[in-house]
Amino acid sequence: MENEKVYHSMREVCSKTGLSPATLRYWEKSFDELSPRKDGHGNRYYTKEDIALLERIKYIRDELKQTRIEAIRRELASDRKQSSLKYSTADILRKVRAELVDLRSLLNQDPDGL
């Protein structure tokens, strides 16, 4: 079993999600559910649950085209099942696409077949 990190730095989260540090700080103020741990120097550390929430907010903003904070809050609160299902489906499709790209790459490496 892999040793999974419990906490991720802001830099790691920005790299993983494609969000800027300013967006992370803004969303932290805007969404009570998002509360990364801070050390004595004010550095933020995010759990996998925090990252999942960030990705869900990003999905609602980008894919569902809900740009107002109030609209995103409503989506998070009242329509969790619908947005979760859409997010899950999109996430699965992204993973399947990545697998297909990997397979195509492997096939292109061996032009004579397997």
Side-chain angles (χ1 to χ4, degrees):
M1 191 163 135
E2 285 184 38
N3 280 340
E4 191 172 317
K5 286 179 73 171
V6 175
Y7 294 102
H8 303 269
S9 70
M10 180 179 273
R11 178 177 289 163
E12 292 170 324
V13 173
C14 289
S15 176
K16 180 176 176 56
T17 63
L19 296 168
S20 71
T23 298
L24 294 180
R25 287 189 291 272
Y26 177 71
W27 285 358
E28 181 182 332
K29 291 176 185 173
S30 300
F31 300 100
D32 293 335
E33 307 93 328
L34 184 61
S35 57
R37 184 178 195 173
K38 293 181 186 176
D39 66 11
H41 302 286
N43 297 316
R44 291 161 169 82
Y45 294 96
Y46 298 83
T47 63
K48 64 182 179 179
E49 291 80 13
D50 291 328
I51 295 169
L53 177 59
L54 287 166
E55 290 186 344
R56 184 143 179 247
I57 293 168
K58 182 180 176 190
Y59 171 79
I60 293 168
R61 182 194 68 182
D62 297 346
E63 301 297 325
L64 300 182
K65 308 294 186 210
Q66 299 292 334
T67 56
R68 294 180 49 230
I69 293 298
E70 297 80 21
I72 296 171
R73 280 190 194 128
R74 264 194 313 276
E75 180 69 27
L76 286 171
S78 68
D79 203 32
R80 288 185 188 272
K81 291 180 184 175
Q82 182 180 358
S83 64
S84 289
L85 179 60
K86 288 179 183 176
Y87 176 77
S88 302
T89 303
D91 192 44
I92 290 168
L93 290 173
R94 278 191 290 276
K95 289 176 183 174
V96 168
R97 183 182 187 283
E99 288 292 324
L100 290 172
V101 168
D102 289 345
L103 285 172
R104 182 174 60 188
S105 175
L106 286 172
L107 289 172
N108 288 338
Q109 289 177 3
D110 186 9
D112 297 328
L114 297 175

